[in-house]
Structures are given as C-alpha cells and as structure tokens.
Amino acid sequence: MSGFTISRRGMLAGSAMLLASTTMPTLGRAQTPKKGGRLVLAADSEPRNLNPAIVASNGVFFISSKIVETLAEASFDGKDGLAPRLALTWEGAADGLSATFKLRDGVKWHDGKPFTSADVAFSALQIWKPLQNLGRTVFKDLASVDTPDDLTAVFKFAKPTPFQLIRNALPALSSVVPKHIYEVGKIEDNPANNAPIGTGPFKFGEYKAGQYYRLTKNTDYWGKDEPWLDEIIYQVLPDRTSAANALEAGEIQLAAFSAVPLADLDRISKVPGLRVISKGYEGLTYQLVVEINHRRKELADVKVRQAIAHAIDKDFVVKTVFLGYAATATGPVPKNDPQFYTADVPTYPFDVAKANALLDEAGYKKGPDGKRFTLKLLPAPYFNETKQFGDYLRQALAAIGIDAELVNNDSAAHIKAVYTDHAFDLAVGPPVFRGDPAISTTILVQSGIADGVPFSNQGGYKNDALDALIAKASETLDTTARTDLYKKFQKEVAADLPLINVAEWSFISVASDKVGNIANNPRWAVSNWADTYLAG
C-alpha cells in the first residue's frame, strides 16, 4: 500500500471500546467539496468476520457497510425514517404474509457480475434467517422468497409478520451478499467473510493485522458521481488516547464511535481544525442495565429489586461515569426513540431510606455487621463505563446493606459466566436498542431463551403475562396497535423490574474540518459513506 504511513507513537495496549454522548453540540464549518483523497480514521477493534449478513454488529458494520449494502438505510427525513439503497421501494401486504421489494437496476457486484433478486432471496433464506445473530428472530417465519423477475423479491411468511418490524429491521439486518460467491461450500467458512465482495461504493483492498484495513473506490458504483473518496484507511488504534493524539497530529482525520476519551472532548473541541460531533448515532443507542439472576431467592423478590433500583442515583451515574454524555433511562426503550418510547412508566427515584425500608419489609434485616446478604456482581468488560458503574454499584449496594463481590472477567469469560453458566447474581450489561423492541430488546426479558445466547434473558426471569404481551406484539399487524402494545411492555418491565435500566447513550465523532457530509443519517458511522468527502 504505497504512500500510507502513520506514527505508532503513543499507541498503548488497552481497551478503546465505544463511548457516547447525547448532549455535545455539533460544531459545523464551511467546506468546499472535492473529488478524491484518502480518509484515514481510527479503528479500535479488528472484527474476525467482516460479513454483516452473518454478524449484525456495529464493529462489523463500521467497516463493511461501505462494501456490502442493505436494502434500505436509516434517514432523518425519508418516509418511515428510511432511504433506498439496493431496494427502491418496499410494501407489506395487509395480511402480513408477504412483503414486496422492488430492486435497483444496473447494480453490479465488485467482481462485475450483475446484482439480482436471486442474491436477495439467497441472503434472506440462507443467511439472515438461519445464521444472522439478529435475523434469526426477525425472519424466523420467512418461508420463501419469490423472484418473478431480476428486480423483484417477494418475501413470503408462514405466519403474519408485522411489516413495521421488517421495515425497522432493514438498515441493520438486510445486508445482501452475492449468491454466486456463497452458494458453494459452507457459508460460515467462505473466504469472502474476511474479504467481502459487495455492491457498495468501496471495495475491500487489504488487511494487515494490528495495522490497518484499506478500502478502495468502486469506479463502477451505481450512485451517480459517487463515491467522492478514493480510499478509506482504518488505522488500528486500540487505545483511545492514541486516537486523540493522532487527530491532533493530523495523522488521522476522523475518530468515530467515541474513540476519543470523554474526558478529552472539551479540550479537543478547542483544537483548531477539529470538531466534535454528536449527531449521526441516533439509530445506535446503547443501554446501561443491571441484569438480575432471578434464581437467587432474594432477587426473585420484587421488593428487593425495587430497593436496588432506589439505591442507584442515575443522575450521579450520568454526570460522573459518563461525564454528562448520556441520559437517565426509564425503561427498555430509550428516550430518543420517537416511535415507541413512553415516559408513562413506574420510576424509582434515588432514595436510600426507601431502599432500606423495602429490604426490611422483604424480611432481609441488617445483621450485626450491617450486612443483609452478599451478591456476586459481574460488570461487563466491554466499556470503561460499564466497569466504572460496577464499582459505583458495589458502593451503592453497600449503602443499603448488600455486600457485592466484584468479579471482573475478560469478554469471553464474562459471556460464559453470565449467559451460559449463570454464575452471577447481578451483572452490568450494555445491550443495544436497534429501532424496534422486537430487535434485541424483548429477548432481554422474555422466558424460554436457550442457554448460551448472549445479551438475552439468562437470569431465569419468567412472567407469563409479559411473555403473552411480547407474543401478541410480534403478531400484531396494525402499526398503531403494535406501538401501543410496546408502550404497555415498557410499563410492565418498569413495574416488575426483570432488569434495571440505568442510562442510555450514543456516540461522539471527532473529525477534521476537512471531512464533509458527516452525521447526515441516524446510522452515519455504519452507513456507506458514498457522499463523504475531503474538502479542498
């Protein structure tokens, strides 16, 4: 890769997972767009699988969304919050048994083969439904995909499926891969998973472990006069301080997904030539939750769960752990979701006296040492904030006589302990809200989830009424009625506290003034960047 170098100065081993903000203002600058150029940005991780049709996660999307496209993308002003990509239109049948997609003409795969409805049918039936981490739920009743012509795909469902859900899932769960590349051999072992072939504005160039990913311009892209950039380089910088230093030195032009530490944002916003941007992540809301093992006798008592909720000072957590770059949570749907959120739920103001009284009522009196009982607390290791909140929660519980033993594991050990072995009493988790409660949200509280499924209800909570509500919502076709059911869902969760929602946060970008068209859709960091440019 000729001509690309970057200093390794300041690179320290460490964790640079995603942070966030919902409050930092966007600072704009006048720019003069120009064609060409190389955008160099920070990457804090190196995904093992770059196929977003299989692994629907932000770490994969960050790179692969420029290569592999979806049927539609999130939009600030598009109808139903969507903009066309590989599909031009989408329409659901009144009976919920089919959805018809009209596809874009003249699209080619990066190897020159034509994109057709056969690729959509193959991706949906062979990958999204059986293999994709989130699609296995959304497309569970997909029975077939008819392809009456090369530009029409008709999804047929065995059971009525809300089109609202399918529509909301399109930006994250509809990455289309080429049938001719994947139809032979085992999909999970296909080399294209690590060197994707897509229809996007950029082609996969090369990957050097521990160094960089390189994407190159697709000169045959369907978008007129796009992409603007010639090349995108993801420089592997696994420490957030390194990203801040590289920005200030001009070695990189962008650090997305809060790659710059929160504590540095105020200072770096004053650096000439750099800007701090909070927009562009509205569709990627992380939630800080206390996961609860209901197999533990004390925690099976709702009064104990209410006491723990009252013991948590959410405002303090937002101000101290997140430095103000977050919002307090009221339930399983974030406040920034206009479609489903309701504030009409039970709340638990910070009240240590109330918490102590509830524990006394539940029969767990303090012993001579001031302790009521001991719990094992496992903070998720993915973010500094989840670990910091674990420390805070231990102190908050001590104030009401609960002794919490902190257990800090690496990622693999944490997932095994919480989601397979159930070797926890409380855990700190960061699930993601993806635009619809049926996508990675209801799974946090519904019963019957198999052991070993990450970010799901592995606490043994079972509530027949809540399960029935979730099931009814999954089959309700009327959009208004379905939305109302999910508002009721929020009330039920907040009342019975199968888990405790504490805070919710999105992300921050720091960019050079020269980078244009940043944050122009709600999933900007994981969109295709066809119109992103470097100013002259």
Side-chain angles (χ1 to χ4, degrees):
M1 185 179 65
S2 62
F4 175 63
T5 60
I6 186 168
S7 168
R8 307 295 289 184
R9 170 181 49 80
M11 293 185 196
L12 302 175
S15 170
M17 298 306 289
L18 315 178
L19 297 174
S21 167
T22 58
T23 57
M24 177 70 77
T26 300
L27 307 176
R29 303 285 196 278
Q31 297 170 317
T32 302
K34 73 170 186 177
K35 285 281 190 179
R38 171 192 287 148
L39 175 64
V40 185
L41 64 149
D44 63 3
S45 63
E46 299 174 76
R48 295 181 181 180
N49 187 327
L50 286 174
N51 184 349
I54 296 177
V55 184
S57 76
N58 291 337
V60 175
F61 292 147
F62 187 36
I63 297 170
S64 296
S65 59
K66 288 71 181 162
I67 305 166
V68 179
E69 294 185 297
T70 55
L71 294 175
E73 184 53 270
S75 169
F76 285 125
D77 51 15
K79 185 177 184 295
D80 297 318
L82 294 174
R85 285 295 186 266
L86 291 177
L88 293 173
T89 65
W90 39 90
E91 183 176 356
D95 61 7
L97 293 174
S98 67
T100 300
F101 295 87
K102 294 295 185 180
L103 306 177
R104 190 179 295 275
D105 195 9
V107 177
K108 294 181 181 179
W109 294 103
H110 292 159
D111 62 3
K113 300 287 180 64
F115 159 78
T116 72
S117 56
D119 299 304
V120 176
F122 179 86
S123 297
L125 292 170
Q126 304 303 319
I127 303 183
W128 305 347
K129 177 180 177 177
L131 300 178
Q132 191 186 78
N133 55 329
L134 301 177
R136 283 179 289 190
T137 298
V138 174
F139 297 104
K140 63 182 175 59
D141 293 320
L142 181 63
S144 63
V145 179
D146 292 350
T147 54
D149 58 61
D150 284 350
L151 298 178
T152 304
V154 184
F155 287 38
K156 299 291 187 68
F157 297 93
K159 297 179 181 179
T161 300
F163 188 61
Q164 182 190 39
L165 169 60
I166 300 302
R167 194 175 61 214
N168 289 342
L170 293 178
L173 308 189
S174 68
S175 297
V176 183
V177 297
K179 177 183 177 183
H180 66 277
I181 296 295
Y182 280 93
E183 63 185 340
V184 176
K186 191 175 182 181
I187 290 172
E188 299 95 314
D189 297 334
N190 196 298
N193 292 333
N194 297 314
I197 296 171
T199 59
F202 297 93
K203 296 182 177 182
F204 181 82
E206 63 179 328
Y207 165 57
K208 295 289 186 183
Q211 298 182 47
Y212 59 81
Y213 296 85
R214 179 169 66 97
L215 311 185
T216 61
K217 180 176 183 175
N218 175 13
T219 56
D220 205 16
Y221 185 54
W222 56 262
K224 184 180 180 182
D225 298 325
E226 293 176 335
W228 285 68
L229 295 167
D230 287 335
E231 205 171 37
I232 299 176
I233 304 294
Y234 292 84
Q235 176 63 39
V236 177
L237 297 171
D239 177 74
R240 287 179 293 155
T241 303
S242 299
N245 290 342
L247 278 164
E248 292 186 82
E251 296 171 334
I252 64 174
Q253 293 115 10
L254 173 67
F257 277 121
S258 297
V260 173
L262 293 180
D264 289 344
L265 290 178
D266 182 60
R267 176 186 60 79
I268 210 165
S269 69
K270 298 178 176 67
V271 174
L274 295 179
R275 52 189 170 141
V276 175
I277 303 164
S278 62
K279 284 188 65 179
Y281 297 99
E282 290 79 359
L284 307 171
T285 303
Y286 275 71
Q287 299 172 288
L288 182 71
V289 304
V290 178
E291 297 172 291
I292 298 170
N293 193 339
H294 294 257
R295 300 172 185 85
R296 177 70 184 257
K297 177 173 66 83
E298 294 90 343
L299 297 176
D301 188 328
V302 68
K303 287 187 177 180
V304 173
R305 302 196 296 272
Q306 290 172 341
I308 293 172
H310 279 297
I312 298 171
D313 186 343
K314 294 180 181 180
D315 289 327
F316 178 85
V317 171
V318 166
K319 292 174 184 175
T320 305
V321 175
F322 291 96
L323 303 182
Y325 302 121
T328 58
T330 59
V333 173
K335 295 174 180 175
N336 68 359
D337 185 273
Q339 186 175 192
F340 293 105
Y341 175 74
T342 177
D344 184 19
V345 300
T347 58
Y348 303 88
F350 176 56
D351 189 334
V352 173
K354 176 69 171 176
N356 276 309
L358 283 165
L359 289 170
D360 288 341
E361 290 173 26
Y364 298 105
K365 304 289 187 179
K366 287 184 179 180
D369 60 357
K371 296 179 182 178
R372 302 176 190 271
F373 50 83
T374 299
L375 297 176
K376 184 182 291 185
L377 170 60
L378 279 66
Y382 320 119
F383 306 104
N384 287 338
E385 287 67 34
T386 52
K387 291 184 285 188
Q388 290 170 14
F389 176 71
D391 291 331
Y392 163 80
L393 183 57
R394 181 182 61 81
Q395 298 173 42
L397 293 172
I400 58 172
I402 298 176
D403 182 33
E405 175 193 347
L406 271 179
V407 180
N408 289 299
N409 292 317
D410 63 20
S411 179
H414 179 82
I415 287 176
K416 184 175 186 296
V418 176
Y419 302 108
T420 299
D421 298 340
H422 311 141
F424 75 104
D425 294 315
L426 300 176
V428 179
V432 183
F433 184 80
R434 299 182 184 274
D436 193 292
I439 307 173
S440 67
T441 301
T442 56
I443 195 174
L444 298 172
V445 297
Q446 70 187 98
S447 66
I449 307 299
D451 289 351
V453 178
F455 311 112
S456 69
N457 173 20
Q458 294 298 337
Y461 176 76
K462 182 170 174 46
N463 182 322
D464 291 339
L466 188 61
D467 285 344
L469 193 159
I470 292 169
K472 184 177 180 181
S474 73
E475 300 168 356
T476 298
L477 303 181
D478 181 79
T479 296
T480 300
R482 184 172 182 267
T483 300
D484 287 343
L485 284 170
Y486 281 125
K487 289 182 178 180
K488 184 178 179 182
F489 163 77
Q490 293 168 71
K491 293 182 183 180
E492 297 277 348
V493 171
D496 205 36
L497 294 177
L499 49 72
I500 300 170
N501 287 84
V502 178
E504 48 209 35
W505 76 98
S506 189
F507 303 99
I508 295 289
S509 297
V510 180
S512 163
D513 282 350
K514 294 184 177 181
V515 185
N517 278 343
I518 290 180
N520 57 8
N521 76 64
R523 299 175 72 254
W524 178 77
V526 294
S527 63
N528 69 15
W529 292 8
D531 62 352
T532 300
Y533 63 87
L534 291 173

